[in-house]
């Protein structure tokens, strides 16, 4: 019997289902070896040789794999088709002690019977270029993390850590925060005219020119300028001067890559990149979608053919694109051999899987299925009209659009604002109903959401498909950034301080272009155009020299000194001070460790006594990941806590305190009580 080794038990079950009894499919449960956690694990004096160790949780599994390998006719390694998967395959071979003639390596981009059989017909050996690229990334990140982090401990606070790519993401967020702080809002106005034609149908037109000048923010900056124009418009004739009608065709967007899937799932469902990748992993391993870590928009010819046949059969010939639609990769770094994310079989419609998949899995699958199938559908056709209206020295314009043929929108509905303009003729007069001047103020640049941050990273060549989710998760786990109520990232005090130190003293480490160049060099290693140890040496030699200098020259950040306040500890009556830790500033009792009272700076008391101990006060607190909860000020002596904000009222059914959720609903905080206020 042949032995096939994959990473996950889900993947092994799916493959076993297709192959039957000739093969035994077992899982390694991910990485079997890695660098040690307690030491650097790299021999810097010996060509950056990594000192890999077997993880304790993998030892039992390795013993089982070794036992099975001894009796197997053939050993086939079938880990994921990317650098990480190639590295896992290599580590498996190393721990099993297998040589080149003792194994086969297969890879496929979708877990289907056809793809697996094709891969088994075309085995290969481990691609050490891919392995070395992954090793170089891992060692680079380990060097930066293990060498820079102690500097942060010494100069800012214990427990902090620095990351090569994560620090760049932090810099991007901090830069945006600086832009927002420096932003000064500018006043401007717009003027809209609501007009009627001869049959009393109303339409809206906006002022676009005055005396031949563009009616932009500069022209309409002050109310006085607006009032002057309004005065002139009080007694003029409104006349249709020009009507332009045309038909425009709207093409479907490209199928998903890792980045665009994460962005869309964030925008539409509020999924974090980490959640999206976890769900996509499950869909892939169960055979529903192709491999989900990709930066390519390529589509296999057979998949295109199947999609086109499905469209004709289920939507009709009129919905099929006249030509096969292919998409070009925007990034020159995209791996052309990879495919976009798509369903493994078009016949697995979202409707057919509604009862098989849990709600979140179904949502993501529905998104992927519709986006892919629409790529081969006919364009949507819109009728667009532009109407110019002259009024004295002013030119107004009305724009309208209506959907003539839905095309691919039938399959993948997207938000499309339709606005009908009534029937008008050039040269006819229209009648003013009302003029609406409106004051505006320019907005500061928006803070980054997960979607916009991923887009920014991708545009600048920072990270790769497999790294976006870990990058974002790490800067949150380290409490360098938090998400606000609108799911936008804000830098914390500690994040600002780390960014400041790195930016001032290690500008290359957090330089966007430098980091992008490193990514390109990792790609060149994968393509056998650079030697991985040379890339590491070019980075490490100047880095370690600079690090030694900075240990001596950087002064300890003064902001970490304890600050005395006038507040009194609610637990023991001692003085409250402001301390600084790895998660930023916080209130603490000066009598620590005898008194362990702490509270976040931004956590006001709610003027509500704790309903459990009736002694402490309820205050807002934050978890390490920045999520707000409400707890007794006497913690840990009293462990009362709620996720939703309590109000100073009590349940008429069970007498537990009432709470208010994010949507403003008042309900009982007792999970066993179903009371919800309806008035």
């Amino acid at each position: 019997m042949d032995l096939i080794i994959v990473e996950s038990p889900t993947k092994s079950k799916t493959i076993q289902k297709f192959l039957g009894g000739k093969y035994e499919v077992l899982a390694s449960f991910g990485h079997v070896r890695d660098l040690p956690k307690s030491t650097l694990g790299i021999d810097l004096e010996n060509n950056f040789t990594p000192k890999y160790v077997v993880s304790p949780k993998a030892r039992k599994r390795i013993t089982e794999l070794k036992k099975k390998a001894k009796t197997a006719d053939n050993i086939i390694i079938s880990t994921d088709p990317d650098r990480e998967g190639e590295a896992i395959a290599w580590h498996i071979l190393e721990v099993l002690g297998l040589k080149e003639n003792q194994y086969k390596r297969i890879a496929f981009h979708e877990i289907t019977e056809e793809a697996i059989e094709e891969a088994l017909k075309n085995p290969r050996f481990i691609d050490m270029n891919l392995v070395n690229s992954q090793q170089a990334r891992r060692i680079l990140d380990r060097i930066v993390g293990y060498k820079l982090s102690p500097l942060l401990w010494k100069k800012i606070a214990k427990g902090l850590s620095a990351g090569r790519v994560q620090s760049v993401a932090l810099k991007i967020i901090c830069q945006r925060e600086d832009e927002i702080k420096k932003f000064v809002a500018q006043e401007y106005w717009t003027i809209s005219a609501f007009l009627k034609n001869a049959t009393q149908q109303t339409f809206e037109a906006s002022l676009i020119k005055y005396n031949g000048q563009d009616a932009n923010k500069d022209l309409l900056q002050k109310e006085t300028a607006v009032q002057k124009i309004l005065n002139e418009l009080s007694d003029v004739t409104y006349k249709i001067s020009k009507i332009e009608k045309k038909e425009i065709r709207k093409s479907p967007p490209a199928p998903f890559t890792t980045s665009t899937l994460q962005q869309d799932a964030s925008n539409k469902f509020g999924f974090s990149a980490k959640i999206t990748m976890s769900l996509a992993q499950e869909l892939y391993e169960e055979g529903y979608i192709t491999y989900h870590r990709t930066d390519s928009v390529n589509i296999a010819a057979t998949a295109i053919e199947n999609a086109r046949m499905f469209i004709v059969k289920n939507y009709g010939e009129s919905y099929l694109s006249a030509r096969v639609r292919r998409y070009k990769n925007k990034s020159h770094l995209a791996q052309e051999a990879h495919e976009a994310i798509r369903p493994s079989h078009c016949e697995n419609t979202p409707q057919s899987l509604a009862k098989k998949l849990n709600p979140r899995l179904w949502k993501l699958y529905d998104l992927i299925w519709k986006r892919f199938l629409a790529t081969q559908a006919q364009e949507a056709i819109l009728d667009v009209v532009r109407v110019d209206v002259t009024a004295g020295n002013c030119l107004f314009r009305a724009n309208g659009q209506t959907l003539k043929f839905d095309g691919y929108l039938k399959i993948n509905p997207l938000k499309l604002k339709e606005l009908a303009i009534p029937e008008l003729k050039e040269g006819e007069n229209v009648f003013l109903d009302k003029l609406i001047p409106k004051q505006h103020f320019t907005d500061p640049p928006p803070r980054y959401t997960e979607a916009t941050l991923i887009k920014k990273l991708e545009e600048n060549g920072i990270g790769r498909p497999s790294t976006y989710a870990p990058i974002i998760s790490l800067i949150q786990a380290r409490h360098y950034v938090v998400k606000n109520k609108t799911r936008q990232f804000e830098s914390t005090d500690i994040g600002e301080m780390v960014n400041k130190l790195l930016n001032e003293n290690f500008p290359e480490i957090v330089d966007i272009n430098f980091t992008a160049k490193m990514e390109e060099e990792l790609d060149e290693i994968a393509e056998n155009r650079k030697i991985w140890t040379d890339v590491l040496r070019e980075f490490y030699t100047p880095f370690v020299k600079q690090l030694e200098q900075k240990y001596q020259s950087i002064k300890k950040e003064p902001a970490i000194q304890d600050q005395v306040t006038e507040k009194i500890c609610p637990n023991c009556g001692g003085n409250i001070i402001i301390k600084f830790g790895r998660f930023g500033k916080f209130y603490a009792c000066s009598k620590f460790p005898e008194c362990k009272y702490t509270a976040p700076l931004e956590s006001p008391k709610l003027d509500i006594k704790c309903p459990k101990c009736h002694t402490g006060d309820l205050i807002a607190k934050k978890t390490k990941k920045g999520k707000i909860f409400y707890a007794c000020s006497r913690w840990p002596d009293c462990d009362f806590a709620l996720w939703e904000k309590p109000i100073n009222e009590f349940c008429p059914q069970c007498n537990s305190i009432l709470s208010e959720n994010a949507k403003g609903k008042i309900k009982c905080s007792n999970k066993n009580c179903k009371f919800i206020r309806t008035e």
Side-chain angles (χ1 to χ4, degrees):
M1 184 178 289
D2 290 350
L3 173 65
I4 297 179
I5 302 174
V6 298
E7 303 99 323
S8 81
T10 303
K11 187 175 177 181
S12 69
K13 288 176 185 176
T14 306
I15 294 175
Q16 188 75 72
K17 178 179 67 178
F18 292 132
L19 295 180
K22 185 182 176 183
Y23 299 87
E24 183 174 13
V25 188
L26 296 178
S28 70
F29 288 81
H31 278 279
V32 294
R33 295 195 311 178
D34 199 1
L35 297 172
K37 290 184 178 180
S38 56
T39 60
L40 179 65
I42 302 162
D43 190 344
L44 299 171
E45 305 300 322
N46 187 23
N47 225 17
F48 302 97
T49 303
K51 301 173 183 177
Y52 292 115
V53 296
V54 174
S55 61
K57 67 178 183 179
R59 287 172 188 162
K60 183 179 178 182
R61 197 62 180 166
I62 289 171
T63 301
E64 183 182 349
L65 291 175
K66 283 182 176 179
K67 184 179 178 181
K68 294 286 186 180
K70 285 181 181 178
T71 59
D73 297 326
N74 292 290
I75 299 168
I76 302 164
I77 311 295
S78 183
T79 48
D80 287 344
D82 59 9
R83 296 174 204 177
E84 194 78 11
E86 205 72 13
I88 292 173
W90 177 70
H91 284 296
I92 290 171
L93 294 185
E94 290 287 302
V95 297
L96 294 182
L98 298 177
K99 296 178 181 177
E100 195 168 90
N101 62 346
Q102 296 176 309
Y103 78 93
K104 297 175 183 177
R105 164 78 165 122
I106 64 170
F108 36 78
H109 297 283
E110 59 182 356
I111 303 178
T112 61
E113 188 171 359
E114 301 84 3
I116 295 166
E117 287 178 354
E118 184 64 25
L120 287 168
K121 292 175 186 175
N122 298 282
R124 59 175 174 82
F125 294 117
I126 296 290
D127 187 337
M128 286 307 298
N129 295 318
L130 298 180
V131 174
N132 288 333
S133 178
Q134 191 275 341
Q135 279 197 115
R137 178 188 291 279
R138 186 77 182 92
I139 292 170
L140 269 173
D141 292 343
R142 174 57 67 100
I143 288 172
V144 172
Y146 270 59
K147 294 292 185 180
L148 264 187
S149 297
L151 180 67
L152 298 180
W153 305 344
K154 184 178 179 182
K155 305 302 181 182
I156 300 179
K158 290 182 179 179
L160 300 178
S161 58
R164 183 179 62 88
V165 183
Q166 295 83 9
S167 296
V168 180
L170 173 62
K171 177 182 178 177
I172 290 170
I173 292 168
C174 289
Q175 282 180 331
R176 180 54 52 89
E177 208 63 36
D178 285 341
E179 292 170 8
I180 293 170
K181 288 174 184 175
K182 293 173 183 176
F183 178 79
V184 178
Q186 299 292 324
E187 178 187 9
Y188 71 99
W189 291 71
T190 57
I191 300 175
S192 296
F194 288 83
L195 304 164
K196 289 184 177 180
N197 65 359
T199 59
Q200 298 297 298
Q201 293 174 295
T202 304
F203 64 100
E204 180 183 356
S206 301
L207 179 68
I208 62 164
K209 285 186 180 293
Y210 173 68
N211 279 335
Q213 296 182 48
D214 289 338
N216 53 27
K217 293 174 183 176
D218 293 329
L219 185 69
L220 301 180
Q221 198 173 47
K222 299 294 181 184
E223 188 176 4
T224 51
V226 174
Q227 193 57 52
K228 179 176 180 292
I229 295 172
L230 292 176
N231 291 339
E232 291 184 19
L233 288 169
S234 62
D235 188 24
V236 294
T237 300
Y238 290 80
K239 185 177 182 179
I240 305 297
S241 57
K242 188 177 182 181
I243 298 176
E244 286 186 2
K245 292 182 178 180
K246 61 181 179 180
E247 184 181 277
I248 66 168
R249 293 175 175 264
K250 187 176 178 66
S251 297
F256 282 124
T257 61
T258 301
S259 166
T260 53
L261 178 63
Q262 289 172 343
Q263 292 174 51
D264 225 29
S266 175
N267 289 330
K268 291 181 177 175
F269 310 135
F271 290 173
S272 67
K274 185 177 181 180
I275 287 173
T276 297
M277 294 311 286
S278 175
L279 296 172
Q281 179 88 30
E282 192 171 344
L283 288 171
Y284 166 68
E285 290 181 348
E286 291 185 2
Y288 291 116
I289 64 170
T290 53
Y291 194 53
H292 54 292
R293 293 188 179 97
T294 176
D295 49 12
S296 174
V297 291
N298 287 343
I299 308 172
T302 53
I304 290 175
E305 183 181 351
N306 290 339
R308 294 178 69 82
M309 290 171 62
F310 186 92
I311 289 170
V312 172
K313 181 180 178 181
N314 293 275
Y315 298 93
E317 287 277 358
S318 62
Y319 280 93
L320 181 68
S321 171
R323 59 179 178 81
V324 170
R325 190 177 286 111
R326 300 184 185 277
Y327 295 84
K328 291 184 179 180
N329 292 306
K330 293 181 180 179
S331 171
H332 69 283
L333 302 171
Q335 299 177 61
E336 298 291 343
H338 287 185
E339 263 202 86
I341 303 170
R342 61 169 175 80
S344 302
H345 298 287
C346 292
E347 291 74 18
N348 282 334
T349 64
Q351 292 80 3
S352 69
L353 298 180
K355 293 181 180 179
K356 291 183 180 180
L357 302 177
N358 70 48
R360 291 204 301 184
L361 276 174
W362 185 87
K363 277 185 176 182
L364 196 68
Y365 181 79
D366 182 62
L367 204 64
I368 294 166
W369 187 90
K370 288 177 177 176
R371 177 89 163 218
F372 165 70
L373 194 66
T375 63
Q376 300 307 311
Q378 186 60 274
E379 299 162 320
I381 303 174
L382 295 96
D383 283 331
V384 175
V385 60
R386 189 174 79 179
V387 178
D388 286 353
V389 182
T390 54
N393 294 320
C394 297
L395 177 64
F396 289 85
R397 178 166 291 163
N399 293 298
Q401 67 174 17
T402 53
L403 188 62
K404 184 176 183 179
F405 176 65
D406 53 1
Y408 79 92
L409 295 174
K410 178 90 169 178
I411 300 168
N412 188 24
L414 300 174
K415 288 183 179 178
L416 182 69
K417 188 176 180 180
E418 291 190 78
L419 180 62
I421 301 289
E423 196 62 39
L424 299 165
K425 294 180 181 178
E426 287 187 4
E428 77 169 293
N429 290 342
V430 289
F431 309 96
L432 179 66
D433 184 23
K434 56 185 174 181
L435 284 170
I436 303 292
K438 192 172 182 180
Q439 184 186 38
H440 307 269
F441 291 92
T442 53
D443 294 318
R447 291 185 171 93
Y448 289 100
T449 61
E450 285 216 9
T452 56
L453 181 59
I454 289 168
K455 186 177 182 181
K456 178 77 172 178
L457 293 171
E458 185 182 40
E459 286 174 349
N460 287 277
I462 307 299
R464 287 296 180 266
S466 62
T467 64
Y468 300 132
I471 288 170
I472 291 172
S473 295
L474 271 172
I475 56 176
Q476 292 179 88
R478 290 169 178 171
H479 203 67
Y480 294 164
V481 302
V482 294
K483 281 184 182 178
N484 60 23
K485 291 181 179 179
T486 56
R487 296 191 290 122
Q488 295 173 312
F489 288 119
E490 294 185 28
S491 52
T492 62
D493 288 342
I494 193 72
E496 291 283 352
M497 292 175 67
V498 169
N499 178 64
K500 182 172 179 284
L501 185 145
L502 294 177
N503 213 40
E504 291 178 353
N505 298 282
F506 299 91
E508 305 86 10
I509 296 295
V510 291
D511 180 73
I512 290 176
N513 294 328
F514 175 80
T515 307
K517 182 175 178 291
M518 289 300 303
E519 293 288 356
E520 290 184 8
E521 289 186 337
L522 292 172
D523 290 344
E524 289 173 332
I525 294 169
E527 296 159 3
N528 198 25
R529 292 191 287 121
K530 279 202 171 184
I531 299 171
W532 69 282
T533 50
D534 290 347
V535 171
L536 291 174
R537 192 173 295 106
E538 289 169 10
F539 169 82
Y540 180 73
T541 303
F543 170 71
V544 74
K545 184 178 179 180
Q546 186 182 22
L547 190 66
E548 291 170 358
Q549 294 172 347
K550 295 301 179 181
Y551 260 101
Q552 304 302 321
S553 62
I554 301 175
K555 294 181 180 179
K556 190 173 179 69
E557 177 59 53
I560 69 168
Q561 305 302 322
D562 295 346
Q563 300 172 33
V564 179
T565 74
E566 296 179 355
K567 296 179 181 290
I568 302 299
C569 176
N571 289 2
C572 72
N575 292 324
I576 292 293
I577 58 175
I578 296 175
K579 293 185 72 68
F580 199 94
R582 61 182 295 195
F583 301 114
K585 295 178 181 178
F586 62 96
Y587 288 125
C589 182
S590 59
K591 293 184 179 181
F592 178 86
E594 289 80 13
C595 178
K596 293 182 172 61
Y597 172 82
T598 62
L601 289 186
E602 63 274 23
S603 298
K605 292 180 182 179
L606 303 175
D607 198 26
I608 303 173
K609 283 293 180 185
C610 175
K612 185 173 183 178
C613 70
H614 306 290
T615 303
D617 296 303
L618 293 186
I619 58 173
K621 304 185 80 172
K622 278 188 178 180
T623 65
K624 291 179 179 180
K625 292 187 177 181
K627 188 174 180 180
I628 294 175
F629 68 101
Y630 304 88
C632 180
S633 61
R634 292 183 61 245
W635 185 90
D637 297 321
C638 177
D639 62 358
F640 180 83
L642 291 175
W643 285 115
E644 295 179 342
K645 186 177 181 179
I647 63 172
N648 207 7
E649 296 180 40
F650 296 86
C651 177
Q653 295 179 9
C654 72
N655 207 36
S656 298
I657 195 164
L658 297 179
S659 62
E660 181 180 1
N661 66 16
K663 296 181 179 180
K665 280 278 187 184
I666 306 296
K667 62 179 186 177
C668 183
S669 61
N670 180 356
K671 292 181 180 179
N672 297 320
C673 179
K674 304 299 182 184
F675 173 77
I676 298 176
R677 183 179 289 172
T678 55
E679 69 272 14

